[in-house]
């Protein structure tokens, strides 16, 4: 996980994708899985978006929801990762 420099992002504008383990714009940044559990949200998921100069921001290409359920952090992470495996190829095809 790295934050790209504005110079780099501008150089490759609209050609960099990011996948985030939450339904943006809710729960951006690091620790979003823990935040989902702590805040008692019923749904989270994964978002594929085009990278811009702001963190976890930019046009959303595809989102895939995942129910939180009564779970541990590791189980939620595993469910979101399974959703990511489906979301990224779908987003690439959509582009």
């Amino acid at each position: 996980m790295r934050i790209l420099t504005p110079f780099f992002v501008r150089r490759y504008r609209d050609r960099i994708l990011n996948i985030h383990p939450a339904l943006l714009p809710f729960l951006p940044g690091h620790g979003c899985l823990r935040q989902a559990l702590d805040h008692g949200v019923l749904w989270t998921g994964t978002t594929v978006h085009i990278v811009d100069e702001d963190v976890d921001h930019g046009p959303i290409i595809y989102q895939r929801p995942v129910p939180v359920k009564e779970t541990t952090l590791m189980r939620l992470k595993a469910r979101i990762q399974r959703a990511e495996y489906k979301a990224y190829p779908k987003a690439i095809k959509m582009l």
Side-chain angles (χ1 to χ4, degrees):
M1 293 180 12
R2 303 233 191 273
I3 297 175
L4 303 173
T5 66
F7 174 80
F8 187 89
V9 172
R10 283 191 299 272
R11 172 71 175 89
Y12 296 98
R13 180 163 308 286
D14 298 331
R15 293 187 284 167
I16 305 170
L17 293 180
N18 183 47
I19 192 160
H20 181 73
L23 297 175
L24 293 174
F26 304 104
L27 304 175
H30 186 68
C32 57
L33 299 179
R34 171 54 52 205
Q35 291 176 52
L37 292 175
D38 290 347
H39 293 312
V41 299
L42 299 177
W43 289 87
T44 189
T46 188
T47 300
V48 180
H49 66 95
I50 295 174
V51 172
D52 65 12
E53 288 86 358
D54 296 322
V55 175
D56 293 331
H57 185 267
I60 293 170
I61 304 301
Y62 184 76
Q63 291 183 308
R64 189 170 189 96
V66 173
V68 173
K69 302 180 183 178
E70 294 294 324
T71 190
T72 65
L73 184 65
M74 295 309 292
R75 286 182 180 162
L76 179 58
K77 180 179 179 181
R79 281 203 310 279
I80 289 176
Q81 284 176 332
R82 285 192 298 273
E84 288 175 340
Y85 300 150
K86 294 176 182 177
Y88 224 135
K90 179 131 181 143
I92 291 169
K93 286 179 185 177
M94 291 172 71
L95 287 175

